[in-house]
Amino acid sequence: PCVKLKLTTDVDGKPTSTTLWCATDLKNLPIRIESDVAGGQPSVTELSDVSFDVDPAVFLPPADYKKLDAPSF
């Protein structure tokens, strides 16, 4: 089951409409987002096979990761 939300905003003087479908059984995670900017290309983002059971190791940097210092400007 989902809760459907519609947002209307103004981006750089152009009306923008965004519709979200939030899955109530997935902690209200937006599983589908449709955006339409006046005069622009519509976009759709959709999630599938969502799981909150994720191994924390997938968020660790690779073993060969090396942090580099940012150069001064």
Side-chain angles (χ1 to χ4, degrees):
C2 289
V3 172
K4 185 177 176 181
L5 304 170
K6 185 162 185 167
L7 308 169
T8 303
T9 58
D10 186 72
V11 176
D12 296 328
K14 296 178 183 177
T16 301
S17 174
T18 302
T19 305
L20 298 100
W21 285 262
C22 301
T24 57
D25 57 339
L26 294 173
K27 302 178 183 180
N28 291 319
L29 178 73
I31 58 168
R32 182 176 174 90
I33 303 169
E34 293 180 359
S35 295
D36 188 18
V37 178
Q41 183 72 24
S43 70
V44 176
T45 302
E46 191 169 289
L47 302 179
S48 62
D49 298 321
V50 175
S51 173
F52 291 106
D53 184 26
V54 179
D55 181 356
V58 299
F59 296 100
L60 297 175
D64 60 348
Y65 170 81
K66 293 180 185 175
K67 183 176 180 178
L68 300 176
D69 291 327
S72 301
F73 293 101

